[in-house]
Amino acid sequence: DQQVKQNSPSLSVQEGRISILNCDYTNSMFDYFLWYKKYPAEGPTFLISISSIKDKNEDGRFTVFLNKSAKHLSLHIVPSQPGDSAVYFCAASDAGGTSYGKLTFGQGTILTVHP
Amino acid sequence: SQTIHQWPATLVQPVGSPLSLECTVEGTSNPNLYWYRQAAGRGLQLLFYSVGIGQISSEVPQNLSASRPQDRQFILSSKKLLLSDSGFYLCAWSVQLLGSFFGQGTRLTVV
């Protein structure tokens, strides 16, 4: 049972354009969502997060949008840069419950930004 | 600032051999600690988590075990490795339950 899904295994974008990565979840108990960036043979690094009380959070070139009714979130990167090329993971947590900070991850989306 | 150390970075082990991966966290007290695994072409799956010394919760049945002998030390072990144990293992910590921070990972290949 995949509670967090990233249905696009890969995304290719031209440098300077917008990258939009999507994520869907099924567990209505999830109330905190995160995006991680991962390079091969390295641990994921935290990018940005959003609480379920918000529908948008922005940090520099990165913006996360949350649509609770659709159980959908997206990460926008504007403008995209070649250094953004990596695997992006969406993750969710039941922070308000007794999850102890456990994260449920999507399968990841490989983003390639072409110069 | 907080840092997390995980070693070794890569490991090649024969089937049936034991395993011990170690993770330590610095700069924080009483963190929640986690072991995740990334199988080839898949997302990260939580294997174990710990909210305190000696306390271990297992998320999936498997050939592995975990221990937390000290507040900031988390160990992943196996008595006899299987081929299916191959993968990329990640240790992580959190304090405020709002997101985790990951180590660099260990690439384990069982041959």
Side-chain angles (χ1 to χ4, degrees), chain A residues 87-110:
Chain A
V87 180
Y88 288 78
F89 288 99
C90 167
S93 174
D94 173 17
T98 56
S99 69
Y100 301 108
K102 297 182 292 182
L103 297 177
T104 301
F105 282 86
Q107 308 95 307
T109 297
I110 302 171

Side-chain angles (χ1 to χ4, degrees), chain A residues 34 36 38 43 100-103, chain B residues 32 34 36 38 49 99-100 103:
Chain A
L34 310 92
Y36 285 85
K38 185 182 181 300
Y100 301 108
K102 297 182 292 182
L103 297 177
Chain B
N32 288 345
Y34 313 88
Y36 288 85
Q38 184 185 16
Y49 70 96
S100 294

Side-chain angles (χ1 to χ4, degrees), chain A residues 30-112:
Chain A
F30 289 147
D31 57 5
Y32 194 71
F33 305 90
L34 310 92
W35 284 95
Y36 285 85
K37 177 181 179 180
K38 185 182 181 300
Y39 294 114
E42 294 185 8
T45 54
F46 170 76
L47 269 179
I48 192 169
S49 62
I50 188 167
S51 164
S52 60
I53 63 173
K54 294 185 175 182
D55 54 19
K56 177 183 174 181
N57 188 27
E58 191 172 353
D59 184 2
R61 296 186 297 116
F62 302 91
T63 303
V64 55
F65 295 90
L66 176 62
N67 182 333
K68 289 186 291 294
S69 61
K71 292 189 174 68
H72 176 83
L73 63 155
S74 60
L75 174 68
H76 293 209
I77 307 174
V78 182
S80 301
Q81 300 173 354
D84 295 329
S85 298
V87 180
Y88 288 78
F89 288 99
C90 167
S93 174
D94 173 17
T98 56
S99 69
Y100 301 108
K102 297 182 292 182
L103 297 177
T104 301
F105 282 86
Q107 308 95 307
T109 297
I110 302 171
L111 173 65
T112 304

Side-chain angles (χ1 to χ4, degrees), chain B residues 34-69:
Chain B
Y34 313 88
W35 280 109
Y36 288 85
R37 176 172 61 198
Q38 184 185 16
R42 302 187 67 180
L44 283 72
Q45 182 184 34
L46 179 64
L47 302 177
F48 301 95
Y49 70 96
S50 171
V51 299
I53 296 173
Q55 189 282 330
I56 305 294
S57 295
S58 174
E59 287 292 291
V60 293
Q62 59 202 303
N63 183 44
L64 303 168
S65 62
S67 62
R68 185 171 178 174

Side-chain angles (χ1 to χ4, degrees), chain B residues 7-8 10-14 16-22 35 37 47 63-65 75-82 85-87 89 106-110:
Chain B
W7 67 94
T10 59
L11 191 59
V12 179
Q13 291 283 101
S17 65
L19 172 73
S20 180
L21 301 181
E22 190 163 341
W35 280 109
R37 176 172 61 198
L47 302 177
N63 183 44
L64 303 168
S65 62
I75 298 171
L76 184 70
S77 305
S78 174
K79 292 183 179 178
K80 290 185 178 182
L81 283 169
L82 306 172
D85 292 324
S86 293
Y89 289 84
T106 297
R107 169 70 60 193
L108 172 66
T109 304
V110 183

